[in-house]
Amino acid sequence: MRFLITAGPTREPIDPVRYISNRSSGKMGYAIAEAALDFGHDVILISGPVNLSPPRNTKFISVSTSDEMFEAVHRHADESDVCVLCAAVADYKPVQVSTIKVKKRADGISMELVPTRDILQSLGRQRARKFLLVGFAAETDHLEANATKKLLEKNCDIIVANDARVGMESDENELLILFRDGETKKISRAPKKFLARELVKIFLKFATKKFDKKDVMITERT
Ligand code: C5P
């Protein structure tokens, strides 16, 4: 099978030296990429800036902004069987990016922000989607309710939800996996490398079943 995986944060520039970003380490996405490779699959890893070395044998695409990630994902999604969007894409970006460093002032400043394009949702809205679509949800409250909302709004097949306070920047995580047919599965706290292997097995099992109303069947290629 061919996996497309996004990982890490994005950086939304304010000026040549400043940006908006978040604390995502990329560890979960990189661990999923490694697990998929270990199981013998092809992997395209599209990563924001992180302090990790890309696993060998991946097609590695390094991006910085949400727009770059959007373009890279759309360029490769249709040649994939499983798209796992694990990246912590920034939700907002500045309307204007200054070409020179914004000077410090004695009074406050305000900045106009606009929402970034939602990559996961844009794939979920594709009419003739043939790949399995997996999203992630890092929440600090009402985990199941918020993740269920995302599953429906972004029209994905699986949402992997976790408590951001446990998983962010950490080597461990605990997961609640929600499937589009209403099924749920919990995996208790464990190293991300272990969780990644369990997730890849779950994705593959799901991808080999019929997963949408159009009777699209994804079968394992030999
Ligand atoms: O809405 P929220 O950011 O919590 O959704 C998380 C999921 O959506 C993740 O799978 C993330 O990779 C994806 N996402 C995206 N593009 C965005 C924001 C989130 O693909 N602009």
Side-chain angles (χ1 to χ4, degrees), residues 31 35 38-39 192-202:
D38 282 353
F39 288 128
K192 285 183 177 173
K193 290 193 174 172
F194 170 85
L195 295 172
R197 294 178 76 85
E198 294 305 302
L199 285 176
V200 169
K201 285 187 225 160
I202 289 169

Side-chain angles (χ1 to χ4, degrees), residues 6 85-91 116-121 134-139 150 154:
T6 68
L85 300 199
C86 197
V89 183
D91 290 327
T116 56
R117 289 181 288 177
D118 194 310
I119 306 167
L120 182 60
Q121 192 170 56
V134 181
F136 273 68
E139 304 290 341
K150 262 166 218 179
K154 305 196 189 209

Side-chain angles (χ1 to χ4, degrees), residues 17-181:
V17 295
R18 304 186 181 95
Y19 53 79
I20 296 172
S21 193
N22 59 66
R23 290 167 46 199
S24 168
S25 65
K27 283 176 186 166
M28 194 70 236
Y30 276 56
I32 294 170
E34 250 163 49
L37 286 166
D38 282 353
F39 288 128
H41 302 286
D42 293 334
V43 175
I44 298 176
L45 177 60
I46 300 171
S47 175
V50 295
N51 286 321
L52 299 171
S53 311
R56 282 196 295 147
N57 301 326
T58 49
K59 181 177 165 72
F60 182 71
I61 303 175
S62 168
V63 297
S64 180
T65 66
S66 57
D67 285 326
E68 288 168 6
M69 188 171 278
F70 185 100
E71 301 303 333
V73 168
H74 278 268
R75 220 174 305 125
H76 294 284
D78 285 336
E79 65 197 55
S80 309
D81 300 306
V82 183
C83 290
V84 184
L85 300 199
C86 197
V89 183
D91 290 327
Y92 295 96
K93 63 179 186 176
V95 173
Q96 278 181 336
V97 182
S98 174
T99 53
I100 55 167
K101 188 179 170 194
V102 177
K103 299 291 176 289
K104 186 161 61 180
R105 302 187 337 200
D107 54 345
I109 59 166
S110 57
M111 194 190 307
E112 197 182 344
L113 303 175
V114 283
T116 56
R117 289 181 288 177
D118 194 310
I119 306 167
L120 182 60
Q121 192 170 56
S122 69
L123 293 183
R125 284 183 176 166
Q126 281 187 3
R127 279 173 169 266
R129 169 165 70 82
K130 291 209 173 69
F131 48 81
L132 181 84
L133 185 58
V134 181
F136 273 68
E139 304 290 341
T140 54
D141 56 276
H142 301 99
L143 185 66
E144 185 160 358
N146 286 328
T148 305
K149 197 160 163 259
K150 262 166 218 179
L151 183 75
L152 299 174
E153 279 176 1
K154 305 196 189 209
N155 194 31
C156 30
D157 301 300
I158 300 175
I159 283 276
V160 181
N162 63 86
D163 187 324
R165 291 163 299 192
V166 177
M168 211 77 171
E169 290 179 310
S170 158
D171 287 328
E172 292 195 328
N173 212 344
E174 62 187 26
L175 305 177
L176 176 67
I177 305 163
L178 310 183
F179 299 86
R180 72 181 304 154
D181 62 3

